[in-house]
Amino acid sequence: MTGPARRVVADAAGRAAEILGGLPEPALRTPEERSAAAEAHAAARRVRGVFLERHAAAVYAELTGDLSRPLGLAELCAAAAEACPGLVPGPEQLAADRARPQAAKEGWEVDQGLFAAAVLRGPREGLHLLEAMRRPTPRALAAQDAYRSAGEADLGSVRLERREGIAHLTMCREDCLNAEDERQVDDMETAVDLALLDPAVEALVVRGGKMTHPRYRGRRVFSAGINLKALHAGRIGLVDFLLRREMGYIAKLNRGLSDGGGWWERPGGKPWLAVVDGFAIGGGCQLLLAADHVIAGADAYLSLPAAQEGIVPGAANLRLTRHGGARLARQVILLGRRIRVIEPDARLFVDEVHDPEEELDAAVPGCADRLRGEAVAANRRMLVEAEEPPDAFRAYLAEFALQQARRIYSPDVLGKVGRFAAAT
């Protein structure tokens, strides 16, 4: 059915590749050559957009065996590259861009964003993809026996420890203030999977560990957000970081794991507590918007510096209006307002504020213990259903996939990432 249309896509991709192949590497192009490259990409993307508008559901059905086979987003993109040449970048194109800093990439990930957005726009296909992304990772399944036996796991940038029915996830990128990159997203997802799979765990605690960074040596820090040095170096991928983070471990914290069972037997996740030391910037602040309970040291602050970084702050645009209303959301996201946890508006993010030296550590066990219990888990599931229906999250992510893909290759972002990386 889509054979002739696929040939149109392949032909358009071939014409673009011929033009791009006659140009120097992206970093060496003149302004005129950059304009020629941009027009070549735009022409091919117009054809892809029309194809996806008409045939995304058919392609998804083919790749997933009419939705009988769950594929994560990375797997789905790889399968689409093979089945529909020219629709999304192939492994050689992605590998070439992967070796370049962000400002010197060709920008093939934009086409992955176009494809992901088209799939997520379809209610049936999009919800199926979101379910697939909430499956336990192979890494977690391989590690669960050892973790359950020992009651702990050191995953590299995250340490997991079970104590009296509570799973404690400690983010421990000591050198970079828990700034997230692909490694930390993978470690966090593995830790979340292990905790959710563990029948002995009733609730989770997420907290930052003590830092070795010179400015915060020996002090706990929650999160400095996205790792801007990694973004500058080209190691923050659209599929493997920006989309996986939202559709993977944060979605699992919010809604639980998908294990392939029927809708009547799927678990709904476990209650979890966020403990904020120092600051929760960017992605750290995004985490708080999904937490069931948040406590913080009185010296902590929160921010979502999306305007300064030039990118979209994950699902914060969806969730922050629910927490604080439209006016506060615009102040924080559009204007970069920083909120100290002792301000009245901070109570829309944080449930309890404690003295960081004398009270915060002591408050954690009691807060976590109050989140235990089957009735708490069932009711938090119903709260999530009411606050963020799956279809609302799917529709938001469809637009997020497209806008974030454009943002990370926009001239203003490419001009900023180097300056931000040098300043950290």
Side-chain angles (χ1 to χ4, degrees):
M1 179 176 67
T2 62
R6 292 187 199 201
R7 286 192 290 275
V8 172
V9 170
D11 290 345
R15 290 192 295 271
E18 185 176 354
I19 293 170
L20 296 171
L23 298 174
E25 290 290 307
L28 303 177
R29 290 171 188 167
T30 65
E32 293 77 13
E33 289 167 336
R34 286 196 294 272
S35 294
E39 180 51 40
H41 280 299
R45 284 168 186 154
R46 285 191 288 269
V47 175
R48 292 187 186 103
V50 171
F51 175 86
L52 288 168
E53 187 175 9
R54 298 173 180 173
H55 304 297
V59 170
Y60 190 81
E62 176 185 325
L63 298 178
T64 60
D66 199 21
L67 284 68
S68 66
R69 182 171 63 251
L71 294 177
L73 185 56
E75 300 170 287
L76 184 68
C77 288
E82 183 174 349
C84 304
L87 183 61
V88 292
E92 299 84 4
Q93 293 167 317
L94 292 173
D97 257 5
R98 185 72 177 179
R100 299 166 175 153
Q102 190 69 19
K105 292 180 184 288
E106 190 66 68
W108 295 113
E109 287 180 305
V110 174
D111 298 298
Q112 291 182 313
L114 188 67
F115 176 61
V119 171
L120 287 164
R121 280 201 178 97
R124 183 168 177 257
E125 297 75 28
L127 292 175
H128 184 266
L129 175 58
L130 291 177
E131 286 285 317
M133 290 294 288
R134 288 182 19 245
R135 291 176 302 154
T137 63
R139 182 185 177 194
L141 293 174
Q144 67 174 331
D145 289 343
Y147 156 69
R148 289 188 189 181
S149 175
E152 60 183 22
D154 188 340
L155 301 167
S157 64
V158 180
R159 291 190 297 269
L160 173 64
E161 182 181 4
R162 183 184 63 238
R163 300 198 300 268
E164 299 180 353
I166 306 296
H168 293 261
L169 286 72
T170 303
M171 300 177 287
C172 50
R173 290 295 299 275
E174 297 95 344
D175 59 329
C176 63
L177 308 178
N178 287 327
E180 281 191 302
D181 55 15
E182 291 180 10
R183 168 191 167 192
Q184 186 155 337
V185 165
D186 187 69
D187 291 347
M188 277 292 287
E189 185 162 8
T190 303
V192 169
D193 284 354
L194 289 171
L196 294 177
L197 287 165
D198 187 350
V201 166
E202 294 183 70
L204 288 68
V205 174
V206 178
R207 191 177 187 182
K210 292 183 178 180
M211 300 291 105
T212 60
H213 188 285
R215 291 170 58 188
Y216 296 89
R217 191 179 304 277
R219 296 166 56 188
R220 285 183 181 268
V221 162
F222 191 70
S223 175
I226 192 171
N227 189 317
L228 293 167
K229 289 185 177 179
L231 178 60
H232 171 64
R235 297 196 302 272
I236 296 291
L238 177 70
V239 169
D240 293 329
F241 179 96
L242 294 165
L243 291 173
R244 177 184 177 183
R245 184 177 184 273
E246 302 303 323
M247 301 163 72
Y249 87 82
I250 298 180
K252 291 173 177 179
L253 283 171
N254 205 30
R255 309 195 74 89
L257 296 172
S258 171
D259 59 2
W263 60 267
W264 59 90
E265 58 185 347
R266 291 174 187 162
K270 298 177 182 181
W272 67 285
L273 167 71
V275 183
V276 181
D277 300 91
F279 45 76
I281 299 172
C285 189
Q286 294 167 32
L287 270 178
L288 306 187
L289 300 177
D292 295 302
H293 198 72
V294 180
I295 64 175
D299 59 347
Y301 67 88
L302 321 169
S303 70
L304 284 164
Q308 293 93 328
E309 296 168 357
I311 58 179
V312 180
N317 305 62
L318 175 67
R319 295 173 179 147
L320 183 53
T321 300
R322 184 176 74 232
H323 279 255
R327 296 268 54 87
L328 182 64
R330 281 162 172 77
Q331 292 169 21
V332 172
I333 293 175
L334 303 184
L335 304 178
R337 177 183 170 187
R338 177 183 292 187
I339 299 179
R340 304 199 67 81
V341 299
I342 56 174
E343 295 180 42
D345 282 345
R347 297 312 298 267
L348 301 167
F349 298 83
V350 177
D351 298 288
E352 301 179 24
V353 177
H354 297 276
D355 182 281
E357 301 294 334
E358 299 180 1
E359 300 176 356
L360 188 58
D361 287 351
V364 173
C367 289
D369 196 56
R370 291 198 298 273
L371 291 173
R372 300 171 70 163
E374 293 183 6
V376 173
N379 279 287
R380 64 91 58 186
R381 177 172 185 172
M382 297 311 299
L383 287 168
V384 171
E385 290 291 331
E387 293 167 350
E388 190 175 292
D391 214 47
F393 183 56
R394 173 200 60 77
Y396 176 87
L397 277 185
E399 188 63 23
F400 172 76
L402 184 59
Q403 295 301 328
Q404 193 75 302
R406 290 171 172 167
R407 283 280 78 217
I408 59 175
Y409 289 99
S410 295
D412 62 309
V413 173
L414 298 181
K416 287 176 181 178
V417 290
R419 296 198 301 273
F420 273 114
T424 55

